[in-house]
Amino acid sequence: GARGTERDRGTPPGAMVVLSACLTSKNGKPLVARQFVEMSRIRIEGLLAAFPKLINTGKQHTYVETESVRYVYQPMESLYLLLITNKSSNIMEDLETLRLLAKLVPEFCPELDEDGVREQCFDLILAFDEVLAMGHRENLNLQQVKTALEMESHEEKLHQMIRQSKINEAKEEAKRKAVSIDQNKAQRAKAGLSGSSSGMGGG
């Protein structure tokens, strides 16, 4: 766990580290947030809570800085797509990443509102993970990310199918065992009955 925080503190200039990628409502309520470095929940919640106050200054910038971090953001209908990065991060790369994520989000979440995001939060987190590994941008384009995610979901489906068939097999096996136990009982009962009726108590 310490590696993430070290990287957070001692990042060489120009190395990009995204601390978190989030989708928030227009008033700054986090709907889905993915952390890429070790951060306490209190710190990330504090950073997210500060965001709406910073953008209400009327400036139309796509990023805003505080003493410790930079917020790079883009409005998306009733939402904000937001990257929180450290200040030594390369702003051009950050904007590039933001653009890629902005193309990806509607692919997985056609309804760009709070309910839509909640429904698709798992896919969105997977998409964030494809684009950003350990807070560093992967050099991928939209198609590569989509392909990777399709493969993942395909593997997941296969995995589920295999698991389901194993469960079904186990159920069938249990049924067969139950049936054979019942048959054994019936046979034993018959044997017992025929035995006792002929006067030979099975002692």
Side-chain angles (χ1 to χ4, degrees):
R3 211 172 66 220
T5 34
E6 270 167 34
R7 185 179 269 177
D8 185 353
R9 278 199 296 271
T11 316
M16 169 187 166
V17 175
V18 174
L19 310 181
S20 182
C22 334
L23 275 165
T24 75
S25 66
K26 268 292 196 295
N27 57 10
K29 184 172 82 177
L31 305 173
V32 57
R34 184 71 167 136
Q35 276 71 263
F36 297 102
V37 294
E38 294 277 327
M39 266 166 113
S40 68
R41 192 187 168 97
I42 292 168
R43 179 163 183 227
I44 188 69
E45 282 176 357
L47 290 172
L48 288 168
F51 172 63
K53 301 185 188 90
L54 295 166
I55 52 172
N56 289 343
T57 51
K59 292 179 184 164
Q60 284 304 305
H61 285 312
T62 46
Y63 67 92
V64 59
E65 289 185 355
T66 67
E67 280 176 23
S68 56
V69 297
R70 181 188 293 136
Y71 297 88
V72 190
Y73 60 92
Q74 179 171 332
M76 297 188 78
E77 293 184 24
S78 64
L79 310 170
Y80 277 114
L81 175 63
L82 168 67
L83 296 178
I84 303 175
T85 73
N86 58 15
K87 285 170 76 174
S88 61
S89 175
N90 179 330
I91 184 71
M92 298 318 291
E93 279 191 24
D94 295 342
L95 290 168
E96 194 57 43
T97 304
L98 192 71
R99 271 198 289 275
L100 178 56
L101 288 175
K103 285 181 195 159
L104 267 176
V105 168
E107 295 280 339
F108 296 98
C109 183
E111 300 294 319
L112 285 173
D113 56 24
E114 292 190 28
D115 292 339
V117 169
R118 274 196 206 96
E119 272 175 38
Q120 304 300 328
C121 67
F122 187 66
D123 285 339
L124 289 167
I125 284 172
L126 282 178
F128 288 170
D129 278 357
E130 279 301 324
V131 176
L132 291 152
M134 293 292 293
H136 291 265
R137 182 163 67 98
E138 300 286 310
N139 280 320
L140 297 172
N141 60 31
L142 183 64
Q143 195 48 53
Q144 286 168 308
V145 175
K146 280 168 70 176
T147 306
L149 288 169
E150 274 162 21
M151 278 167 64
E152 266 180 41
S153 72
H154 182 64
E155 278 171 24
E156 180 63 23
K157 278 184 193 132
L158 270 176
H159 182 68
Q160 279 173 348
M161 278 159 66
I162 291 166
R163 210 172 66 204
Q164 195 53 51
S165 72
K166 279 183 180 162
I167 290 169
N168 292 347
E169 273 173 33
K171 280 182 184 163
E172 286 300 316
E173 185 61 29
K175 260 190 214 158
R176 278 201 297 275
K177 278 185 181 154
V179 167
S180 68
I181 287 168
D182 286 348
Q183 283 171 345
N184 285 347
K185 271 187 189 160
Q187 281 166 352
R188 276 210 301 277
K190 257 189 207 154
L193 282 171
S194 58
S196 57
S197 65
S198 63
M200 290 165 61

